[in-house]
Amino acid sequence: MTLAHGKTAAPTRLAALTGPGPVRDWTIRVAAFCALLLAWQLAAQNVSVAVLPTPRRVWEGMAGLLERGDLQLAWGQTAVQVAAGMLLSAVFGVVLGVLIGWFKPVDDAISPLLNAVFLMPRIALVPLIALWFGLQDTAKIALILSFSFFEIFFTVRNGVKTIENEFVEVAKAYCIPQWTVLRKVVLPAITPYVMTGLRLGLVYALVGVVLGGFFLESNGIGGLIYALGSDFRTAELIAALFTVMLVGLAVNLGLHRLENLLAPWKVTR
Amino acid sequence: MSTQKIEIDTVGKSYETGPRKKRKVVHALKDVSLTIAPGGFVSLLGPSGCGKTTLLKCIDGLIPITEGEIRVGGKAIADPGRDRAFVFQDFRLLPWRTVLGNVCFPLETTISSKAEREAIAKKYIDMVGLTAFERHHPHELSGGMQQRVGIARALAVDPDILLMDEPFGALDAQTRELMQVELLRIWELTGKTVVFVTHSVDEAIFLSQRIAVFSSRPGTISAEFDVPFAYPRTDLGIRRDPRFTDLRQEIWRLLKGDQNSFSD
């Protein structure tokens, strides 16, 4: 041990690359990314451009979409729809989650019904949503709500039930009145669950809004993806898909950061 | 100084379990009787699942009993009260609150002045030796320190009786011995009655004046022992005493005879 430490800096640098830690992790990630890019390039050279364009063409497609403002327009429409849908989901999900988790008789009465709707593939609701709300923003917001509400609701409700055993017994032992418990114990304690619920809900909201662009009025990122696919503009299609991936990643990471900021005692990965 | 006697009078606790058509009645406690003098230190000792924690929660009023009566200061208890405070094995601190905020928590419904609450809380934070950590959050503290907060929170409501449910069970051996000495110091300082649940024979002997040994299925008290050592006690002084070894063996034999699942 002492001998190895006495040596020069060179083995240390090598150890940083091979030993566990952020340096090794990032080395592997970058290497994997390059390998994937190379494999893509090699595969693309042997097939039609309509099936798989080269990475370079996708990059040019991205530049074109940005230059014409197609992506900006689509994401602008999508952002408004997702924001409205998520706001409704968050309000309904959190309020119902807390009430239903806290009052057991309400849970027994309502949860089986909500569970049944949750288990149904929500995409099957599209025709009904179209009949009720038309094809435009209202309908898309309803579709997003149907996708993201349940994630938020069930996460919050289960959170309330979990903390009941942990903290509510403490409050009971110290003779704290029930409404004070709800305000001072339950609401702060569910913060990490609300954040997790919002994160999951947003992932599903993105699914909902893309599907909305396919089946309802063709606008937003879903509409753009559909249109590009129909026109065999594969390079631009893949570029648009990349933006969906990046938005998903960014939103997920941002909410993770926020979660760790608001509930530092419960660090999730 | 505590003045209230705890009388546990032929207490039973049973509950139904299993699917609707095959309901079974489980007797968690049966015919438990025990009297605890004001200011006393009594341990409830027994293997896991023998009902000692259930009895402790019944004394607090967290769990209703199904037979008999528990009287504190002559009055039958049904609900948690401010004359009793509970210390949990897993600390149960509110993680979003600081040490000070946690100790203040039970005072918030009874004392409206924040300054007054904090003055009381600080007194007990000092007593458990955490003065420098007032503004820390629980996740920044070690297990031993978190349980010190748990004890300070219990003391802050100024109860007559401290109900402690394996409070040092989650701590490592060294911290555990330190905390035992600390607890005795606080007990002698405050004069509270302590009911202490443990499954460690050594811990029970070192701490208590009296030990009630539980046997399981149904949970009941099979024997009571008086511990012959005077306070203040020091760890080394007691463990070397032949009476310690004798008492230890006697209790061990009793527990082994009761069932083989017990190990420590």
Side-chain angles (χ1 to χ4, degrees):
Chain A
M1 280 296 282
T2 41
L3 270 178
H5 279 292
K7 283 183 184 172
T8 55
T12 323
R13 213 176 295 145
L14 188 69
L17 282 177
T18 52
V23 178
R24 186 188 67 175
D25 289 353
W26 279 104
T27 311
I28 294 172
R29 277 172 207 162
V30 171
F33 181 74
C34 292
L36 206 65
L37 217 56
L38 187 70
W40 176 4
Q41 174 71 34
L42 289 175
Q45 279 168 352
N46 297 313
V47 294
S48 150
V49 69
V51 175
L52 185 66
T54 58
R56 190 196 166 85
R57 275 177 183 271
V58 170
W59 182 254
E60 286 163 0
M62 178 83 87
L65 282 174
L66 285 169
E67 224 167 89
R68 287 190 301 274
D70 292 344
L71 269 177
Q72 292 92 321
L73 177 71
W75 274 112
Q77 293 164 335
T78 295
V80 172
Q81 294 154 2
V82 169
M86 274 301 286
L87 188 71
L88 288 175
S89 292
V91 171
F92 285 127
V94 173
V95 171
L96 285 175
V98 170
L99 289 179
I100 291 176
W102 186 240
F103 298 106
K104 200 173 178 303
V106 187
D107 191 20
D108 292 342
I110 295 181
S111 284
L113 178 69
L114 286 175
N115 210 27
V117 182
F118 172 65
L119 289 173
M120 189 183 87
R122 255 65 51 71
I123 189 72
L125 290 174
V126 168
L128 196 61
I129 286 175
L131 284 172
W132 286 353
F133 300 105
L135 299 172
Q136 295 179 330
D137 281 359
T138 322
K140 286 199 180 161
I141 291 166
L143 186 63
I144 292 168
L145 183 69
S146 77
F147 267 85
S148 58
F149 164 78
F150 292 96
E151 300 300 326
I152 301 173
F153 166 75
F154 281 111
T155 313
V156 172
R157 185 198 65 158
N158 294 343
V160 173
K161 291 186 147 191
T162 310
I163 61 166
E164 190 158 4
N165 305 319
E166 216 175 322
F167 300 121
V168 176
E169 195 180 39
V170 177
K172 218 171 131 192
Y174 286 100
C175 314
I176 313 290
Q178 189 163 7
W179 281 105
T180 314
V181 177
L182 196 58
R183 192 163 53 87
K184 287 191 175 173
V185 178
V186 176
L187 291 185
I190 59 162
T191 313
Y193 295 97
V194 170
M195 295 309 298
T196 307
L198 288 181
R199 201 152 45 83
L200 293 173
L202 202 59
V203 171
Y204 281 85
L206 284 176
V207 177
V209 80
V210 168
L211 289 172
F214 291 179
F215 297 120
L216 301 169
E217 186 191 10
S218 185
N219 67 11
I221 190 66
L224 182 65
I225 288 170
Y226 194 81
L228 293 171
S230 312
D231 291 352
F232 296 99
R233 288 155 70 180
T234 316
E236 285 159 297
L237 171 63
I238 292 174
L241 291 177
F242 268 120
T243 67
V244 178
M245 190 179 80
L246 287 177
V247 166
L249 267 178
V251 158
N252 202 28
L253 191 71
L255 280 174
H256 244 314
R257 288 266 162 87
L258 193 64
E259 186 176 338
N260 292 344
L261 204 70
L262 290 175
W265 66 88
K266 201 153 196 165
V267 178
T268 53
R269 273 167 209 287
Chain B
M1 190 69 198
S2 175
T3 53
Q4 300 196 93
K5 185 158 76 167
I6 306 171
E7 293 161 288
I8 298 158
D9 188 358
T10 52
V11 161
K13 168 71 187 171
S14 52
Y15 52 89
E16 290 185 343
T17 182
R20 197 170 294 167
K21 283 185 180 165
K22 290 187 253 174
R23 277 283 153 93
K24 279 194 295 187
V25 177
V26 175
H27 295 278
L29 294 172
K30 198 167 189 187
D31 281 333
V32 178
S33 291
L34 180 71
T35 304
I36 299 170
F41 197 126
V42 173
S43 283
L44 310 179
L45 175 69
S48 307
C50 69
K52 56 196 194 299
T53 294
T54 306
L55 179 62
L56 197 72
K57 288 191 172 174
C58 289
I59 299 174
D60 195 50
L62 279 171
I63 300 178
I65 53 176
T66 43
E67 287 157 55
E69 197 171 65
I70 297 177
R71 292 181 295 274
V72 172
K75 271 190 288 186
I77 60 122
D79 292 307
R82 295 237 147 206
D83 54 345
R84 286 152 281 146
F86 205 94
V87 177
F88 294 86
Q89 178 178 11
D90 49 356
F91 324 137
R92 310 264 183 109
L93 304 176
L94 306 180
W96 57 91
R97 286 187 174 222
T98 60
V99 168
L100 188 63
N102 266 289
V103 180
C104 282
F105 173 64
L107 302 173
E108 283 165 13
T109 44
T110 49
I111 300 170
S112 54
S113 149
K114 193 183 177 199
E116 203 180 321
R117 286 199 301 264
E118 292 195 346
I120 295 171
K122 280 179 181 177
K123 177 182 155 193
Y124 291 105
I125 292 170
D126 283 351
M127 191 182 282
V128 298
L130 287 180
T131 316
F133 297 94
E134 257 171 40
R135 304 281 163 197
H136 284 60
H137 282 84
H139 68 272
E140 300 168 306
L141 306 178
S142 68
M145 289 159 98
Q146 290 190 43
Q147 192 57 293
R148 282 167 194 263
V149 181
I151 293 170
R153 176 174 66 186
L155 291 171
V157 300
D158 195 21
D160 270 345
I161 298 156
L162 274 184
L163 303 168
M164 309 185 84
D165 182 19
E166 300 196 36
F168 309 142
L171 308 179
D172 62 81
Q174 269 174 320
T175 312
R176 191 171 180 152
E177 284 185 17
L178 267 173
M179 293 295 286
Q180 291 168 357
V181 175
E182 280 281 291
L183 177 62
L184 283 185
R185 182 181 65 80
I186 291 166
W187 173 64
E188 287 174 85
L189 195 67
T190 57
K192 311 275 181 209
T193 309
V194 177
V195 186
F196 191 98
V197 164
T198 181
H199 63 264
S200 158
V201 180
D202 286 27
E203 187 170 63
I205 299 176
F206 176 65
L207 290 173
S208 26
Q209 294 171 319
R210 256 179 107 64
I211 301 172
V213 179
F214 270 71
S215 63
S216 48
R217 283 177 225 110
T220 194
I221 293 172
S222 53
E224 286 182 52
F225 294 91
D226 277 313
V227 183
F229 306 110
Y231 298 90
R233 294 177 181 173
T234 58
D235 206 28
L236 277 175
I238 286 182
R239 276 177 220 268
R240 283 183 185 165
D241 195 306
R243 286 175 298 173
F244 180 94
T245 349
D246 288 350
L247 186 56
R248 191 174 187 272
Q249 271 208 310
E250 202 178 336
I251 296 174
W252 259 107
R253 208 168 295 135
L254 185 71
L255 289 166
K256 270 209 171 146
D258 174 47
Q259 63 166 50
N260 299 320
S261 67
F262 181 59
S263 61
D264 186 27

